Amino acid sequence: MPPATQVVHRPMYPVLERLTREELKALQLRRLNRQLERLWSTNRFYQRIWREAGLEPGPLKSLEDFRRYPVIAKEDVLADQLEHPPYGERLGVDIRDVFEITLSSGTSGKTQEIHAHTVRDAHMRALHGTAFRWAGMGPDETLVFHVGISNSASHGPFHRGIRAIGKLPYLVGHLGFEKRLELMQRLGMDHMYVMPSALNGLTQLCEKQGHAPRELFPQLKTIMLSGEGWPVEFIERMEEAWGARIFEGYGASQTYGGYIMSTCEHGAVTDGRRNGLHWYEWAAYLEVVDPDTLEPVGPGEAGELIVTHLEKEASPLVRFRMRDRVVYRPWTDCSCGRQLDMIEAGTVGRWDDMVKIKGENVFPLEVDEIIFSRDAIAEYQARVYIGDKGRDVAEIRLGIPEGVAGAEELVEDLRNELKQRTNVTFDLRVVSPDELPSYTTPDAKPRRWTDERQQNLKTGGAS
Ligand SMILES: [Zn+2]
């Protein structure tokens, strides 16, 4: 077991974190009304959209009342940027007040949102340290930062956040895994911030070199993850391998450029069960809604995350659709005492990643979880194509080493569970793990799914 199993409560904002649900809602309503009033008088982008929706300026009476305001999407932001380059009218402040920017993923101005930050926006620095503080980072402790620095959410806000509560975040995200391990051994570290796939790659490299990570880095206390989903078994295996506890945060270019929610001191997983990421509800108003009806979802249900900044000056977002698929969990699901609502840890995915197979909505992340809960399976590749009978075929090649006992039963059992959870019968094949790609290179997100159906339709059949 990891060493620090005792849970230490380290609040970041002792007063805000002790507010009752009613007090929090009242605070949100006050801040939301202040923000809306400001935008009604200064922001042409929102003035236009809200007038088109038939709204008039004036304070909201309740948070429920806010649902009259229209949601906006990436397309609205991009159209505004194209028409009023480079920031769009959504910028809402003097261009000379732009202190820092973050760009969303994408490759050009036609696909990449640009989010500007004023000095005040950029220096909500303590906010982005909350996750690390809750995880237990102390003022004299160092962190190794495994995410490459670019104009994405990985730069300014995170570094200011970490420095607000700890010290010396040093950078390795630009290096290959060998160099990272070398530097980590030279400098040491108390905490680590890394994507799940990179953590997996680092672990494999240590083991290939004949060392258990926990022996190489005995001083490591915590690992902070974000950016990708994970199966519960992965967390348990990694906590054991590194002798450290694992936490998770959620952030994006659209969330002040840093974290807007994170796990508390209870970490990512307790006793085989996923914990939740508490929302920083004093800084943002968050909703989880059904992507078709825009109605709020219930506890334990999946929906789309909608983000509203309560504080932001430049490029504010009001009811912005993140396209992230999250599972809503009420605050009562956590025993830490914070009355901050949550999403489930480790299951953030993209609505755009959804694959429709035989009329069923299948999420690759869910299939990952089902497959990787079986230790014998090292890797897999899924392929969806149109079969001889003109129907969808979903094939999964499972990398299982030769000589694994009970492989046949394992495959049968897996087929049943996949059918039960996704409503799709998968065509499962066992192959040698060597035949499948392995994702151990830095920053390479696993690409396990291919959809050949469009191609099949063009060429008239499966290749
Ligand atoms: Zn909690």
Side-chain angles (χ1 to χ4, degrees), residues 40 52 121 178 193 258 263 334 356 381 412 437 461:
W40 268 114
E52 277 168 17
D121 294 337
E178 282 89 357
Y193 172 46
T263 50
C334 189
K356 210 153 191 129
Q381 281 282 313
E412 187 53 36

Side-chain angles (χ1 to χ4, degrees), residues 102-105 113 115 117 151-153 251-258 309 312 317 322:
T102 47
L103 298 176
S104 69
S105 54
E113 301 149 34
H115 298 275
H117 312 282
N151 284 317
S152 75
S253 332
Q254 298 90 350
T255 58
Y256 299 95
H309 299 144
K312 204 154 187 315
L317 290 172
M322 291 292 292

Side-chain angles (χ1 to χ4, degrees), residues 134 262-266 276 278 331 334-338 340 342:
W134 285 357
S262 63
T263 50
C264 62
E265 53 274 13
H266 289 294
H278 286 287
W331 63 272
C334 189
S335 60
C336 72
R338 295 179 185 83
L340 302 165
M342 306 185 286

Side-chain angles (χ1 to χ4, degrees), residues 10 22 120 145 184 217 236 263 267 269 293 310 367 374 423 437:
R10 284 197 175 88
E22 287 65 38
R120 183 178 181 276
F145 200 88
M184 284 154 62
F217 307 106
E236 292 173 335
T263 50
V269 168
T293 65
L310 294 176
V367 174
R374 291 155 170 89
N423 242 346

Side-chain angles (χ1 to χ4, degrees), residues 64-106:
E64 285 67 40
D65 202 19
F66 185 40
R67 293 187 49 225
R68 293 188 291 117
Y69 275 70
V71 293
I72 61 164
K74 184 183 183 79
E75 296 73 39
D76 302 303
V77 169
L78 294 178
D80 177 40
Q81 283 172 199
L82 273 182
E83 210 170 313
H84 305 278
Y87 298 106
E89 289 189 319
R90 186 177 61 96
L91 176 65
V93 296
D94 191 312
I95 201 160
R96 289 170 298 187
D97 291 331
V98 175
F99 170 79
E100 189 165 276
I101 57 165
T102 47
L103 298 176
S104 69
S105 54

Side-chain angles (χ1 to χ4, degrees), residues 345-367:
T347 55
V348 178
R350 297 290 292 169
W351 281 104
D352 306 329
D353 286 345
M354 186 180 79
V355 188
K356 210 153 191 129
I357 306 171
K358 302 175 192 178
E360 302 291 339
N361 297 336
V362 176
F363 288 92
L365 199 57
E366 190 173 10
V367 174

